[in-house]
Amino acid sequence: MLIKRLNMVLIAGPCVIESKEQIFKIADYLQKYIGKYDFYFKASFDKANRTSLDSYRGPGLEKGLEILAEVKEKYGYKLLTDVHETWQVKPAAEVVDVLQIPAFLCRQTDLLVEAAKTDKIVNIKKGQFMNPADMKYSVLKVLKTRGCDEVSYENSKKYGVWLTERGTTFGYGNLVVDMRSLVIMREFAPVIFDATHSVQMPGGAGGKSSGKREYVPYLSKAAAAVGIDGFFFETHYNPDEALSDGPNMITPDMLDNILKDIDCINKCQGE
């Protein structure tokens, strides 16, 4: 039997920091979710795994963390951001509350161990190439570093380790979500569903990724019906003009409607 979730985690914000104005505009809108959910504001200071060398990556570590720190100071938000290399972990941990391990790096031992040495939550995104059951070994790398030798949902929750599902490679340029993975991974860690990256089409736009944001509401409702700990939505006012992940990001209005549906499903489940 799956363990009942107590307070839904909501992670939202733009894929990458494009400008200070962009960040504060979306951060201001998302204030409505404080208190209603266990809310985390998300934005990346660097996207190191872009398809093309010419793609926009972000403002970089120093400038990006400076902007995120201002968001935290103004809104009191808990923050989540990606780290791609071990040297980024310590400075990022001085600002954010959750260190996210990108999907392509989910087995990168040195990065997992370095993140585990901090007192921050470590959110490991399941690689698009990974068997969900094998994610327990990535979790265990963090747990062992933090002094725990047994993988379980309760231990992962206690020691601050999350897993995020973002789809599995399905042929070339497409992802598919196997809803069984949510059940499998939730046996040994709290599970977040990344609804926006799950509709991404890697490399589908010729040197950059495409996506099908119109499927985000359907996958979100399916994940809510399975029963998970939270949701991840990359959110942008003008997704079609975004500098990264535009085709799979959603607008604030879409987010509002999706959350209404999720709330109804949770209510039916007695949450």
Side-chain angles (χ1 to χ4, degrees):
M1 179 179 293
L2 291 178
I3 298 169
K4 193 175 182 68
R5 171 176 52 71
L6 297 178
N7 186 21
M8 191 181 97
V9 172
L10 173 62
I11 301 164
C15 174
V16 66
I17 299 171
E18 298 176 7
S19 68
K20 196 170 180 178
E21 179 184 12
Q22 170 239 15
I23 285 293
F24 276 85
K25 183 177 181 181
I26 192 67
D28 193 68
Y29 183 89
L30 295 173
Q31 287 184 92
K32 63 169 68 179
Y33 300 124
I34 291 293
K36 186 173 184 180
Y37 307 106
D38 184 12
F39 178 72
Y40 295 79
F41 182 80
K42 183 270 173 183
S44 298
F45 57 79
D46 182 26
K47 303 299 292 184
N49 58 352
R50 300 300 306 276
T51 304
S52 170
L53 185 62
D54 298 324
S55 296
Y56 177 76
R57 289 181 53 166
L61 179 72
E62 185 175 349
K63 182 62 177 177
L65 290 178
E66 179 183 309
I67 292 172
L68 289 174
E70 290 183 38
V71 169
K72 173 172 275 193
E73 182 178 0
K74 180 172 182 179
Y75 298 102
Y77 288 159
K78 291 182 286 188
L79 304 175
L80 177 150
T81 200
D82 313 272
V83 287
H84 293 84
E85 300 186 57
T86 54
W87 62 269
Q88 296 175 338
V89 170
K90 186 175 180 180
E94 293 175 357
V95 176
V96 306
D97 303 273
V98 180
L99 296 168
Q100 181 164 278
I101 308 299
F104 288 128
L105 300 177
C106 67
R107 292 179 52 170
Q108 199 73 9
T109 300
D110 290 346
L111 185 59
L112 289 164
V113 168
E114 193 67 22
K117 290 177 182 177
T118 72
D119 62 352
K120 306 302 179 181
I121 293 170
V122 179
N123 182 35
I124 311 169
K125 303 193 85 172
K126 179 181 77 66
Q128 300 91 323
F129 48 89
M130 289 290 293
N131 174 353
D134 287 342
M135 287 303 295
K136 71 178 68 172
Y137 302 109
S138 293
V139 171
L140 188 56
K141 290 176 183 180
V142 178
L143 290 178
K144 280 192 171 183
T145 304
R146 292 182 167 178
C148 177
D149 291 327
E150 182 182 352
V151 178
S152 70
Y153 180 99
E154 290 296 348
N155 282 341
S156 293
K157 185 176 180 181
K158 176 181 177 181
Y159 288 93
V161 191
W162 298 346
L163 288 174
T164 291
E165 169 62 87
R166 56 144 303 153
T168 298
T169 299
F170 187 70
Y172 297 114
N174 202 4
L175 300 174
V176 66
V177 178
D178 180 354
M179 291 294 166
R180 296 175 299 177
S181 70
L182 304 176
V183 181
I184 292 166
M185 293 194 297
R186 204 164 183 254
E187 292 296 324
F188 47 84
V191 170
I192 309 297
F193 180 58
D194 183 347
T196 46
H197 281 106
S198 291
V199 301
Q200 190 181 72
M201 301 179 72
K208 59 183 179 179
S209 292
S210 183
K212 297 279 189 178
R213 76 172 67 94
E214 62 267 31
Y215 293 117
V216 172
Y218 302 102
L219 290 179
S220 300
K221 287 185 282 189
V226 170
I228 54 175
D229 298 87
F231 288 85
F232 181 115
F233 297 100
E234 286 193 329
T235 314
H236 196 287
Y237 269 101
N238 299 295
D240 292 333
E241 298 178 9
L243 300 180
S244 176
D245 278 1
N248 54 265
M249 279 199 283
I250 59 173
T251 64
D253 286 345
M254 285 186 70
L255 178 61
D256 289 344
N257 290 330
I258 291 168
L259 288 173
K260 288 177 184 176
D261 288 339
I262 290 172
D263 287 344
C264 286
I265 293 169
N266 288 342
K267 186 176 181 181
C268 289
Q269 295 175 327
E271 303 242 349

